[in-house]
Amino acid sequence: MAEPDVVAVVDVTKAVQPQKHHLTVSCTKLKLLAWAGVLCCLIWNGFAQQGGSDCIKANAKSCGECIQAGPNCGWCKKTDFLQEGEPTSARCDDLAALKSKGCPMEDIENPRGSKQVLEDKEVTNRKIGAAERLKPEDITQIQPQKLVLKLRVGEPQTFSLKFKRAEDYPIDLYYLMDLSYSMKDDLENVKSLGTALMLEMEKITSDFRIGFGSFVEKTVMPYISTTPAKLRNPCTGDQNCTSPFSYKNVLSLTSEGNKFNELVGKQHISGNLDSPEGGFDAIMQVAVCGEQIGWRNVTRLLVFSTDAGFHFAGDGKLGGIVLPNDGKCHLENNMYTMSHYYDYPSIAHLVQKLSENNIQTIFAVTEEFQAVYKELKNLIPKSAVGTLSSNSSNVIQLIIDAYNSLSSEVILENSKLPKGVTISYKSFCKNGVNDTQEDGRKCSNISIGDEVKFEINVTANECPKKGQNETIKIKPLGFTEEVEINLQFICECQCQGEGEPNSPACHEGNGTFECGACRCNEGRIGRLCECSTDEVNSEDMDAYCRRENSTEICSNNGECICGQCVCKKRENTNEVYSGKYCECDNFNCDRSNGLICGGNGICKCRVCECFPNFTGSACDCSLDTLPCMASNGQICNGRGTCECGTCNCTDPKFQGPTCEMCQTCLGVCAEHKDCVQCRAFDKGEKKETCSQECMHFNMTLVESRDKLPQPGQPDPLSHCKEKDVDDCWFYFTYSVNSNGEANVHVVETPECPSGPDIIPIVAGVVAGIVLIGLALLLIWKLLMIIHDRREFAKFEKEKMNAKWDTGENPIYKSAVTTVVNPKYEGK
């Protein structure tokens, strides 16, 4: 008998494959969602506790120490918040952690920083030529002007600063000129500078003042010649030069251009010995002698004109001058009188004084010294360098160009910051240009009337020792206006001010009860200040920290203080010891998949408290039966029990996620083939015992295969194709309904193969033999023809290669011998 050919063993799996797939996908999705939820919770909790770890590591003993540990730290002032064995510092933690531990939000001290604007005058909108003439102090270019920032450690406070360069803003310009002999031709052009510059500056401002000063060199050797004749006239020949001097204020700032021309016209050239000049002495006096020069709180420009280099700090030693420049005003009768006593100022000293007095410097120097003064410009903020012609004929255009360059850039600077305070800037300039870091302090390419903004962050990284307020100032370089910021530091909690000194709650008044805890008086310790420092090491106290029948103090997990265990902290702040004897912890519970309590519970005193739907010592046993649900709606296909979300098959033959597979079982078709054959066709191996062995299913006969039940019905269904004892194919289906009844549908007529037709077979064989014979003859004939042609071709080739003519015999010799008489002349 041939082996049965099973067309389809559908069983549960194939009969409802789409449904099973759908359920499997659903289960998988639910599992993924559940694990994703757990993972998200763990990640969120990890991030929350990462911030909280800083709070715990601070080991804060009071609310004030706690809020200084970080911006996310809070202090729980609930009286009964702490568990047994927990130290007072456990009150300080991340806000989310405190809430999860049962501290109500109203009991959490978490003061926040703030800002308050005290003065906020709008920037001035004013056009040149306006009818009203405002005083300089009435013009506002920076907003706000004054504010208070309350700073908590680690929490930045941000405010916006607006700057607008006002039109028609007053300008004070002081022209400081080198009057050494090499500047002789330059002096002639500067004599008419006053009125000419007034006319040009009227295009920029209606309120312009100009002043003039001159300098040469220190009046000691080796800078000048100290012989009497040279002191009277340092020049040679017939030149009439004035006596050398260090610095002279010729004309204080004035709005009278003619007066400038008149006084400058009376000036004479002087002389010195060395090439570098004493210009730094002059710049220092111009910067610090504000009253004598006449500076107003307006735009201050200093034009420094020279054709030589400069002396700086340390060069005074050549003349025996060793005292550093004191940065103070020493003008008497408009002359600098201490040049022989104080050294030249350093560049850093000049930068400080120019910045303090909001003076913007324009270096008008000849081409030869451009490189030197450009390097100096890089060290002096809000300064510019212009190329002076050999006779200073271009000085007016140089001043205008330099002023436009300086006014097109705004650079913010701040005063010295208190210890632990940092500041950062972000600029919002024209055309959407934004910058941070150092570039965040400035905006470039600004025209007069343009408005720019800055975002300023101020952060306190620690509290001042005394907690006093501090004041810092921010201003644009070269401007007198500034923002005054009062810094107030949040170093204590509000509840600390509500504390009860010598409170009965602190063991008979041995401490101050504040923020839910006792702050002990000096010499007292313990959670409730119940012990003096002398009692700490008493053996009687240690007895209260040992468990019954144990020699370990606080289970070796803490210290005994005043007869109470204070559990020690672990390096991982998420791991905590607790309990009266520090016998409990939250990290020594059973683990599953590398997670404490499998991530499905909370470890309390070394025992897992599982979440709903989980059980087991490691909470690794799920009570959810959905993963065990088979596609037919039965748990484990009725062949096992669902344990911890997994099918435990009771019949060892079955296996798989829902006990659906049986590797050693016969197929449904092969198992019921004999019974179907005997019941439907009364034949087969079980024909004699059919009534005893094959009555366990209901049988229905159908006319054709199309009438058989098709996949898609609720009951599991198998389609079968088997051979009977007569080698005929018969078709049937086998299914089991929800009541456990087996139903078989059988096609009533088997498909039996018909007998072979002899005549066509014989005819085919004969025809095949004839055709094969003819084919063999044709092949033989073809081979003979090919052989003959090859032999003929070979003969032709040999004939072509012959070396003699076909009519001659190569061994033939003629019998006739011809002899010729050499004397015969043919006569």
Side-chain angles (χ1 to χ4, degrees), residues 1 6 41 48 63 81 126 170 192 196 250 286 300 354 396 439 508 537 591 625 642 678 682 688 720 726 753 798:
M1 181 182 291
V6 181
C41 289
C63 186
F81 172 71
R126 178 167 171 259
S192 60
V250 178
V286 172
R300 300 175 178 181
L354 290 171
I396 293 179
D439 289 337
E508 301 176 357
N537 296 322
R591 295 172 180 258
T625 59
C642 187
C678 77
D682 194 24
E688 302 300 330
C720 302
D726 300 324
E798 290 176 350

Side-chain angles (χ1 to χ4, degrees), residues 607-774:
V607 177
C608 287
E609 289 189 4
C610 302
F611 297 147
N613 276 338
F614 288 95
T615 186
S617 62
C619 299
D620 54 351
C621 182
S622 173
L623 300 178
D624 186 8
T625 59
L626 187 60
C628 299
M629 191 69 68
S631 57
N632 59 5
Q634 293 182 314
I635 293 177
C636 302
N637 274 302
R639 298 165 181 157
T641 58
C642 187
E643 298 177 4
C644 301
T646 304
C647 281
N648 182 16
C649 304
T650 52
D651 190 338
K653 293 188 301 183
F654 291 93
Q655 57 185 351
T658 55
C659 303
E660 74 277 10
M661 294 185 297
C662 179
Q663 301 292 342
T664 61
C665 297
L666 290 173
V668 173
C669 299
E671 182 181 352
H672 299 286
K673 177 186 72 170
D674 292 334
C675 283
V676 172
Q677 192 179 178
C678 77
R679 289 274 304 272
F681 307 111
D682 194 24
K683 56 185 176 180
E685 295 180 1
K686 294 187 178 181
K687 177 180 178 181
E688 302 300 330
T689 60
C690 190
S691 58
Q692 290 82 25
E693 298 181 17
C694 300
M695 304 306 293
H696 58 277
F697 56 83
N698 301 322
M699 189 181 70
T700 304
L701 296 175
V702 297
E703 295 179 358
S704 63
R705 292 169 60 184
D706 297 336
K707 303 293 184 179
L708 289 173
Q710 299 301 315
Q713 66 178 31
D715 301 332
L717 179 70
S718 297
H719 276 257
C720 302
K721 176 184 179 182
E722 298 289 341
K723 271 190 176 183
D724 62 14
V725 292
D726 300 324
D727 283 342
C728 295
W729 294 103
F730 64 96
Y731 299 87
F732 66 95
T733 62
Y734 183 90
S735 63
V736 180
N737 61 22
S738 58
N739 297 323
E741 296 177 349
N743 294 303
V744 175
H745 291 72
V746 187
V747 178
E748 59 186 6
T749 305
E751 291 183 358
C752 296
S754 57
D757 194 348
I758 301 301
I759 295 175
I761 294 174
V762 172
V765 170
V766 171
I769 293 172
V770 171
L771 290 174
I772 291 171
L774 290 174

Side-chain angles (χ1 to χ4, degrees), residues 563-577:
Q564 290 186 346
C565 285
V566 176
C567 303
K568 65 184 179 183
K569 295 180 180 178
R570 289 176 61 84
E571 185 175 348
N572 183 348
T573 55
N574 295 327
E575 298 178 352
V576 178
Y577 288 111

Side-chain angles (χ1 to χ4, degrees), residues 283-319:
I283 293 176
M284 178 60 76
Q285 294 303 302
V286 172
V288 299
C289 298
E291 291 184 7
Q292 290 87 335
I293 303 298
W295 292 116
R296 299 176 295 172
N297 283 332
V298 297
T299 298
R300 300 175 178 181
L301 299 179
L302 170 61
V303 179
F304 182 84
S305 175
T306 185
D307 64 348
F310 48 82
H311 285 296
F312 53 88
D315 289 352
K317 292 181 179 180
L318 295 173

Side-chain angles (χ1 to χ4, degrees), residues 32 157 255 561 638 756:
L32 288 174
Q157 291 299 318
S255 57
I561 299 177

